[in-house]
Amino acid sequence: MTYDDLLHKIGDFGKYQKRIYFFLCLPAISCALHKLAGVFILAKTDHRCQLPGELDNASYTLPINIMNMSYPFDYKLDHFSSCKMYDTNFTDAYYSSNIPANHTINCHRWVYDKETFQNTAVMEFNLVCDRAWYKGTADSMLMVGVMLGSIIFGYLSDRIGRKNIFTISVWLQGIAGCGMAFTQEYWSFTFLRVLVGASTSGLYLAAYVIGLEFVSPKYRMVVGVVIQMFFSVGFLLTSAFAYAFHSNWRYFQLAITIPTLFYTTYHWFIPESVRWLLANGKQEKAVKILQKVCSVNGVDITDKDIIEVLECDFEKKPIVQADAQPKASFFDLFKHPVILKRSIIIMLLWFVNSTAYYGLSWSTSNLGGNQFLVFNLAGIVEFPAYTFLLLTLNKWGRKINISGFLILAGLALLTTLAIPKTNTWLVIFFAMVAKLAITASYGAVYVYTAEQFPTVVRNMGLGVGSFFARIGGIVAPYINNTADIWINMPLVIYGGLALLVGAWSLVLPETLNRKLPDTIEDLVAMSEKKYKPVLTNEPATNGEANKDKDKY
């Protein structure tokens, strides 16, 4: 009997596991709030150059004759320039419309349209015109923090425990998040966003792993998908907080950060991972936790029986690992044409899914319509996407879900090119279809990746995929900035990438219910049809589907 067998005996997903799992899902909401807050904190509003003599609190709206006299018309963007103005004598500006314009000059002060947002970080730090790329950098640096956090906290969680990393991440998010609300200049604001990004990785990583390691393999796919639904709940709550605190971005930042401190109470009732305790020689603590699980789940089992199972499992594992998992290097992912092809496609799948997911989530304001409503729609469509995955991932297979949804997303986004600019809601409809498809594809890519690689390089393959997902998140804000050149440019880029990679990924084999090779030699033999995969009743990853911590 192994630890997984013991879990089956004391409750695969019993009352105790359900209780702690619910509380461990809540941090996913906070992750979503901080990941998506930039849509509103860094909301881009209409602006124009502040004219000589105008007060700082001047109205954005001006009479058309003053606009004609003051600003050149940008025919490419179909509106008056928001970054240049005529170098004109404004002495009699409000009394005459015939004052000659000498030439245009760049402006250094702006008047913002405060109809929707009265104060944002873009307004305070003037992240417009020549400084517009600073807005994209602020979002990119958040994702740099996510990348660093996943590496650092991922390593430390194996060294000092999942629970300790959870507590550290809570305090980091609370301090850095509140600090952002009081920062007075751009670079301090951006640095603190790096720390907030890192905290989301640590918070989610620790919570997810603790929850996952308390359930048996057959429930891990459900556990992985449901926690992503909590992220979608956070998606919707982001716009609710933004609407309630639209008068000042600092109040909004405090509102989404302060509830994080509730997680400090987890120290007293959320247990450490039993698997981690056993791996680090803390058997006595592990037995106490398992006895509590038995007590809550109504299972009668003695300490002696638990210890016997744990010792038996511990004695077997080193032998199995030494024989089945020989050491492999990073370069093994690229040393043979068969695994090289898989590695390249998998890296592109992670990159495109992450880029399109965050790109579409962060660019809802570019689609037109009511910004809060469109943002909510982008969150709502995630629920049917995850529900569909639960129903089809183990029936239809991984390949049809990932490739099919990517191709659907690409076609939907490219279709927007044929829609007239005046038909805003039709553009929004196709963008939401693409968001649903990308969400579903992203939700399935983790398990598909794990099943594409041999055992000896499986974790390495997942790590490389995760790295490229981070790169995608870092690049997405800059792609969104291309909307200043052409409003449809981001949708075309995301659509083209999704269609191309989705079609290319069709060359990968289906992995549903197949026993995967353990070595690269087995993989090569399989590709040459010298190795016949054996059908099995369980997914090769033991049900660890959708362990998509990289999204959070």
Side-chain angles (χ1 to χ4, degrees):
M1 182 180 286
T2 65
Y3 176 69
D4 285 335
D5 296 322
L6 179 62
L7 280 177
H8 178 68
K9 187 173 182 179
I10 67 178
D12 294 306
F13 191 36
K15 184 177 179 181
Y16 181 87
Q17 289 101 317
K18 290 175 182 176
R19 180 189 300 169
I20 67 165
Y21 177 67
F22 170 76
F23 285 104
L24 290 170
C25 282
L26 296 180
I29 296 177
S30 292
C31 290
L33 288 170
H34 287 284
K35 285 277 190 74
L36 300 167
V39 174
F40 301 104
I41 289 177
L42 294 161
K44 182 181 178 181
T45 62
D46 290 334
H47 57 278
R48 61 175 177 81
C49 297
Q50 184 175 350
L51 300 175
E54 270 195 307
L55 299 176
D56 290 338
N57 61 349
S59 171
Y60 169 78
T61 305
L62 288 176
I64 189 63
N65 64 316
I66 300 298
M67 294 293 291
N68 281 324
M69 178 183 62
S70 307
Y71 308 106
F73 194 83
D74 190 332
Y75 290 95
K76 184 183 295 184
L77 298 177
D78 197 30
H79 60 66
F80 286 100
S81 174
S82 56
C83 298
K84 294 180 180 294
M85 64 180 179
Y86 288 126
D87 184 12
T88 308
N89 177 7
F90 285 90
T91 306
D92 300 314
Y94 287 90
Y95 304 100
S96 172
S97 60
N98 299 313
I99 297 177
N102 298 323
H103 63 280
T104 60
I105 58 173
N106 293 325
C107 51
H108 304 287
R109 303 183 71 182
W110 293 266
V111 175
Y112 295 93
D113 183 358
K114 298 184 178 181
E115 181 179 355
T116 304
F117 298 100
Q118 297 179 20
N119 182 29
T120 68
V122 169
M123 296 178 187
E124 282 201 20
F125 305 138
N126 288 321
L127 308 182
V128 295
C129 299
D130 291 341
R131 288 170 56 88
W133 66 275
Y134 280 60
K135 176 182 180 298
T137 299
D139 279 329
S140 289
M141 293 307 292
L142 175 79
M143 298 307 292
V144 168
V146 173
M147 177 187 287
L148 295 174
S150 65
I151 295 171
I152 296 170
F153 289 128
Y155 170 77
L156 290 177
S157 68
D158 289 332
R159 297 296 300 271
I160 65 175
R162 287 75 159 109
K163 190 173 179 179
N164 287 331
I165 288 300
F166 183 90
T167 303
I168 292 171
S169 299
V170 167
W171 283 106
L172 178 62
Q173 189 169 109
I175 294 171
C178 289
M180 276 179 59
F182 296 99
T183 188
Q184 298 298 314
E185 52 87 28
Y186 172 79
W187 290 111
S188 297
F189 169 83
T190 302
F191 173 72
L192 290 172
R193 274 177 71 78
V194 174
L195 298 183
V196 168
S199 73
T200 63
S201 284
L203 195 65
Y204 178 80
L205 175 66
Y208 183 91
V209 172
I210 292 173
L212 187 75
E213 293 182 344
F214 266 103
V215 300
S216 65
K218 72 176 184 178
Y219 281 96
R220 287 175 189 161
M221 186 185 76
V222 176
V223 165
V225 173
V226 170
I227 198 169
Q228 294 182 62
M229 290 183 174
F230 275 79
F231 186 90
S232 300
V233 171
F235 204 121
L236 300 178
L237 286 177
T238 303
S239 63
F241 276 108
Y243 185 80
F245 298 98
H246 66 278
S247 61
N248 194 312
W249 71 270
R250 298 179 186 276
Y251 298 152
F252 169 66
Q253 178 61 33
L254 285 173
I256 65 173
T257 301
I258 290 175
T260 303
L261 299 179
F262 162 75
Y263 303 134
T264 58
T265 62
Y266 282 25
H267 176 77
W268 288 279
F269 68 91
I270 294 295
E272 178 58 271
S273 164
V274 171
R275 289 185 186 273
W276 183 85
L277 290 172
L278 294 174
N280 288 271
K282 302 179 185 294
Q283 189 183 82
E284 185 177 341
K285 291 183 179 180
V287 171
K288 287 183 179 179
I289 293 172
L290 289 172
Q291 271 291 9
K292 188 172 183 180
V293 175
C294 293
S295 175
V296 176
N297 289 351
V299 177
D300 187 17
I301 186 171
T302 65
D303 289 359
K304 182 180 178 181
D305 291 336
I306 293 176
I307 292 172
E308 286 180 357
V309 171
L310 297 180
E311 288 179 345
C312 178
D313 196 22
F314 178 78
E315 290 171 0
K316 288 180 179 179
K317 280 184 179 178
I319 299 173
V320 174
Q321 290 177 351
D323 292 339
Q325 297 185 11
K327 290 184 179 180
S329 71
F330 167 79
F331 298 102
D332 287 328
L333 291 172
F334 311 98
K335 74 176 186 180
H336 192 280
V338 174
I339 196 168
L340 172 63
K341 179 180 70 175
R342 293 193 181 195
S343 297
I344 292 174
I345 297 176
I346 289 298
M347 288 187 294
L348 289 174
L349 279 174
W350 282 87
F351 175 81
V352 171
N353 274 288
S354 179
T355 303
Y357 178 85
Y358 284 111
L360 291 174
S361 299
W362 288 334
S363 65
T364 50
S365 60
N366 292 335
L367 299 176
N370 182 285
Q371 186 168 344
F372 296 101
L373 176 59
V374 176
F375 185 85
N376 277 332
L377 288 175
I380 290 172
V381 297
E382 294 194 359
F383 291 98
Y386 292 134
T387 302
F388 189 84
L389 277 184
L390 281 173
L391 298 175
T392 65
L393 197 60
N394 283 340
K395 291 183 180 181
W396 294 4
R398 287 74 158 108
K399 182 175 176 177
I400 191 172
N401 275 292
I402 293 178
S403 300
F405 275 120
L406 274 179
I407 292 171
L408 174 61
L411 292 175
L413 290 173
L414 294 178
T415 299
T416 60
L417 291 174
I419 301 174
K421 293 181 180 179
T422 54
N423 203 333
T424 301
W425 282 103
L426 192 57
V427 173
I428 292 172
F429 170 77
F430 280 101
M432 292 303 107
V433 170
K435 180 59 171 22
L436 184 152
I438 285 294
T439 301
S441 175
Y442 204 176
V445 74
Y446 191 100
V447 64
Y448 195 47
T449 299
E451 294 174 349
Q452 286 295 330
F453 292 105
T455 305
V456 293
V457 291
R458 184 162 294 136
N459 285 340
M460 209 167 297
L462 288 167
V464 171
S466 171
F467 178 80
F468 274 82
R470 307 300 190 208
I471 298 299
I474 292 170
V475 169
Y478 295 111
I479 294 177
N480 286 342
N481 278 357
T482 62
D484 293 337
I485 302 172
W486 180 34
I487 192 66
N488 289 329
M489 182 72 80
L491 299 185
V492 171
I493 294 174
Y494 299 138
L497 287 173
L499 186 60
L500 178 64
V501 175
W504 194 10
S505 65
L506 288 171
V507 304
L508 293 176
E510 178 56 70
T511 57
L512 175 63
N513 291 337
R514 290 187 177 272
K515 181 178 176 62
L516 301 180
D518 291 318
T519 66
I520 295 175
E521 289 71 24
D522 288 340
L523 180 66
V524 174
M526 179 190 298
S527 69
E528 297 173 351
K529 299 184 179 179
K530 297 177 182 177
Y531 176 98
K532 187 176 181 180
V534 181
L535 292 177
T536 181
N537 292 326
E538 287 194 22
T541 49
N542 293 324
E544 286 192 61
N546 294 289
K547 188 181 178 184
D548 193 9
K549 63 177 176 288
D550 303 285
K551 188 183 295 185
Y552 311 107

